[in-house]
Amino acid sequence: MKVFSILLVALSFFTFSFNPCFSQEILNEKLDLMPWPKEITPNRNFTKLDENFTISMNQKGSRVYSAATKFLRNLANKTGVFINEGFPFYNRENATLSIVFKEVADLSINTDESYELVVENNKIELTANTDVGIVRGLSTLLQLIKSDGSNFVFEGFYIKDAPRFKWRGLMIDVSRHFQPVDLIKRNLDAMAFVKMNVFHWHLSDDQGFRIESKRYPKLHQLGSDGEYYTHEQIKDIVAYANNLGIRVIPEIDVPGHAAAILTAYPELGSNDTYNYSIVRNAGVFDPTLNPTKPEVYTFLDNLFKEVTPLFPDEYFHIGGDENEGKHWDANPEIQDFKKQHSLETNHDLQTYFNIKLEKILRKYGKKLVGWDEIRTPSMPKSAIIHSWRGKNEGFENGTLIPALKNGYHAILSNDYYIDRMLSVEHYYNCDPIANANLTKEEENRVLGGEVTMWSELVTPLTIDSRIWPRTAAIAERFWSPKHITNVENMRKRLKKVNHDLERIGLTHIRNIDVILRNISNNQDISALKTLSQISEPLKIYERNKDGIEYKTYSPFTLFADACSADAPDAYEFKKVVSAYKLNSNLSNTEKVLSFFNKWERGYFNFKQLHHSSNLVGLNSHYKNLTEVSVQLKKAIKSEKFSQKDKEKIDSLLTEIATPFVDVEIVIIDSLKSLSNHLNQKFGLK
Ligand code: ACM
């Protein structure tokens, strides 16, 4: 490319030094890109955005055409600029953005997603081997637009980018709670925005079978409560994803997690007297396909024959997890079968089943993916092991590393269970490879990772807020070089990306207000919002412990549903307390006091509300927090804070620290640390 050579000459005179850490620190402050690119070099140029902005593409290709068109809409919506030409041209000279790619990719695990992007003076070039690379590059370019005060400009950069991992997935469980087509599409848009490339669609489980079946219509008629995807809807979603360069991997989870299938076809089950019905709560249940019955394989063969053409990707996920085999143990015929076939354990029996499935899927051109449990010596190496139990043997035979050492390709989800509601920092710090003792070859068999959104506790109203924005940070872990690890900076960039995600259609921010309005019975929600900004839903499945409190049809419009995993004010408060402890100058003092004022005002407003049953559970914690705020504020202002004062605060903090309405207030440590500090500083006065 001519422009590249000019730029390279320019760069060789440019004295900015780029070791990876240095570049991250300097550039990260300047830019809000996520995921961070592999190589990025600033130049002193820029391209101004005005109404004459045009795009030219060198050849036809629906992925690029629609990505470029969406890019133009996003640009207009983000900046308010009325761009004259709302669609890309083909081979137009002097376009502002020139897109050049060599081929239209047939989407696969090996699709080349690399691209190069150069922003110069009023000229931008985006080049890639494939159209998918262009889609990825447009996503970067959209994040480069900035306001310089009076104009919007693309700042000058040379970016050469490619993913670290091939498999960067998001799994959405649509069985526990069904998720409609438009919701899936907006999440696909968000995935593309952060360069994720696999949508793993968990389509069947105990709580619902979500695919229309023409061959076995009772599956969707009796197994889905009427909430399922028709073939046309599936084709529509697969095509939509494909256009974004996202592969779709369907999962039909067998032989366990089969209550919905067996509700429709109980004769395929392992217990002839069991009353199979769709499960309404969370947990691991007994209904299991009977691997000794030939009809089971006929059923699966016919079902796969029917559904595999809907999903063009070469991989098909068969689940295979959490089969406790209770119905197998209780069935004498199954026990006899095991003896006849020299199958010692239930795991051996499941392997027998899996191997048959693998052959059936192979007949339909599919390779198999399955959760940890499918790994056995006889499983062909073409199968991908999807590790949900961890990297090392230990947590019930977690299998990532053993799978790699045994020659399998693998993907990791264990560290990316976002339904555990841990902080973004936790997930961001988990590397799919980390410091595991692997050979280069074994390391190369880590295909990547998948974020898992299990949907026991989410509905269409809340699912976006459980997936995003944390998934954007995980997407960076999957895409960006391993050394991109600065958490503080990630948080800074994520704040910006969070709003970008909202603009492109996610409801993760706005739906909080919807829930709070509902709880308050359409009163002023500011008091509830203030409390929600320091409260987080209970973590690691403490909410709905043992799976009994919530059913699939329970309300998910509670205060806990309006709180997110990274309470925004908690993080800010921690920072201002640390700063105040280091230096109690006027500015740092004001910042701490403003939080106390906010909570006091919040509780004052809370008391003005006409209370309903949904608000009762919030009162005592809010009141105690306000009391703590008043006392600490007084201590700061009067510079007095005796041991007795501190003890009073400590006792209130113990009360505030107890979980309530399925949430916990997450500023306790900061308050304690401030209280200790004030006591040390002013305690003797
Ligand atoms: C799983 O979480 N049972 C895959």
Side-chain angles (χ1 to χ4, degrees), residues 164 391-392 401 431-438 443 482:
R164 179 175 168 214
K391 292 190 177 103
N392 292 300
I401 291 171
D431 189 278
I433 294 178
N435 299 318
N437 190 9
L438 298 172
E443 213 173 281
K482 193 175 179 180

Side-chain angles (χ1 to χ4, degrees), residues 257 321-322 371 388 417 454:
H257 289 275
D321 57 319
E322 295 184 311
W371 298 106
W388 70 279
Y417 266 48
W454 300 105

Side-chain angles (χ1 to χ4, degrees), residues 362-621:
R362 192 142 31 101
K363 198 166 71 179
Y364 299 118
K366 301 294 178 197
K367 290 183 186 154
L368 181 149
V369 191
W371 298 106
D372 276 332
E373 291 92 330
I374 69 155
R375 184 175 67 91
T376 59
S378 47
M379 178 57 71
K381 297 289 190 278
S382 56
I384 292 178
I385 309 298
H386 189 173
S387 178
W388 70 279
R389 296 190 298 199
K391 292 190 177 103
N392 292 300
E393 300 267 13
F395 167 32
E396 297 176 52
N397 301 324
T399 56
L400 184 84
I401 291 171
L404 300 169
K405 296 223 173 272
N406 279 288
Y408 291 96
H409 286 87
I411 42 183
L412 181 67
S413 273
N414 171 269
D415 286 332
Y416 309 111
Y417 266 48
I418 46 170
D419 63 324
R420 285 158 58 90
M421 300 306 284
L422 299 169
S423 78
V424 66
E425 180 170 345
H426 169 87
Y427 296 103
Y428 189 68
N429 284 337
C430 292
D431 189 278
I433 294 178
N435 299 318
N437 190 9
L438 298 172
T439 64
K440 199 78 218 148
E441 212 176 299
E442 287 160 0
E443 213 173 281
N444 288 340
R445 288 202 287 269
V446 180
L447 297 173
E450 265 188 26
V451 172
T452 43
M453 181 68 258
W454 300 105
S455 66
E456 282 89 346
L457 297 179
V458 298
T459 65
L461 186 72
T462 57
I463 193 167
D464 291 1
S465 75
R466 273 39 188 154
I467 301 176
W468 307 100
R470 291 176 300 161
T471 292
I474 305 173
E476 171 158 294
R477 180 59 49 245
F478 296 159
W479 175 281
S480 304
K482 193 175 179 180
H483 67 262
I484 304 295
T485 52
N486 183 324
V487 172
E488 196 57 29
N489 184 267
M490 173 277 287
R491 282 188 182 268
K492 181 207 81 132
R493 289 179 288 125
L494 188 63
K495 223 172 171 174
K496 167 86 182 339
V497 167
N498 194 30
H499 290 119
D500 283 338
L501 290 168
E502 165 154 77
R503 204 192 51 257
I504 65 173
L506 291 178
T507 63
H508 60 307
I509 302 173
R510 72 183 90 130
N511 278 0
I512 289 173
D513 287 11
V514 174
I515 296 170
L516 294 180
R517 270 194 290 279
N518 185 53
I519 296 172
S520 71
N521 215 355
N522 297 324
Q523 300 177 76
D524 178 6
I525 60 171
S526 61
L528 297 178
K529 200 147 188 178
T530 295
L531 188 62
S532 76
Q533 285 165 342
I534 49 168
S535 305
E536 294 178 1
L538 297 183
K539 297 176 190 309
I540 321 185
Y541 307 135
E542 281 301 307
R543 183 178 187 191
N544 201 31
K545 204 164 190 224
D546 304 321
I548 41 185
E549 189 182 349
Y550 289 89
K551 296 191 167 48
T552 49
Y553 47 83
S554 297
F556 290 95
T557 48
L558 308 179
F559 185 66
D561 300 299
C563 297
S564 61
D566 291 284
D569 279 1
Y571 179 69
E572 292 302 323
F573 184 61
K574 186 174 173 186
K575 281 206 303 200
V576 302
V577 167
S578 298
Y580 172 83
K581 279 167 59 184
L582 284 176
N583 182 351
S584 58
N585 62 21
L586 191 61
S587 156
N588 287 344
T589 306
E590 285 300 319
K591 283 181 189 153
V592 173
L593 294 182
S594 77
F595 274 106
F596 291 139
N597 291 336
K598 182 173 180 179
W599 299 326
E600 276 177 51
R601 202 170 46 245
Y603 186 57
F604 177 83
N605 289 335
F606 180 80
K607 283 189 297 181
Q608 312 307 308
L609 299 175
H610 295 291
H611 275 209
S612 67
S613 54
N614 281 323
L615 301 181
V616 173
L618 306 179
N619 184 60
S620 139
H621 280 69

Side-chain angles (χ1 to χ4, degrees), residues 16-67:
F16 207 89
S17 150
F18 288 98
N19 75 51
C21 301
F22 187 53
S23 71
Q24 194 193 351
E25 271 171 28
I26 303 279
L27 291 173
N28 279 180
E29 287 315 312
K30 215 164 127 70
L31 282 174
D32 294 309
L33 287 178
M34 185 169 276
W36 195 254
K38 191 169 177 179
E39 285 176 39
I40 173 163
T41 313
N43 58 45
R44 298 206 166 118
N45 303 326
F46 64 89
T47 294
K48 191 175 135 196
L49 175 70
D50 62 21
E51 66 278 10
N52 297 319
F53 186 89
T54 49
I55 300 181
S56 171
M57 45 195 282
N58 68 319
Q59 58 170 312
K60 300 211 167 178
S62 86
R63 273 190 200 116
V64 172
Y65 190 82
S66 69

Side-chain angles (χ1 to χ4, degrees), residues 171-188 199-205 207-217 219-221 223-238 240 248-252 303 306-307 310-311 453 455 458-460 463 467:
M171 187 213 77
I172 299 184
D173 165 12
V174 296
S175 175
R176 273 58 178 243
H177 280 102
F178 181 74
Q179 308 296 336
V181 171
D182 62 340
L183 181 146
I184 299 291
K185 285 186 176 176
R186 71 177 184 243
N187 276 279
L188 288 166
F199 169 47
H200 168 178
W201 207 351
H202 185 81
L203 283 156
S204 87
D205 214 302
Q207 293 81 352
F209 185 92
R210 305 298 184 189
I211 316 176
E212 172 192 25
S213 174
K214 296 183 202 285
R215 181 71 179 75
Y216 295 104
L219 280 174
H220 66 269
Q221 287 165 356
S224 79
D225 299 310
E227 292 191 301
Y228 59 90
Y229 304 98
T230 64
H231 285 198
E232 290 314 308
Q233 286 173 321
I234 290 171
K235 284 185 209 158
D236 180 32
I237 284 177
V238 169
Y240 192 88
V248 179
I249 313 290
E251 178 184 349
I252 294 183
L303 183 63
E306 178 184 1
V307 302
L310 298 172
F311 301 100
M453 181 68 258
S455 66
V458 298
T459 65
I463 193 167
I467 301 176

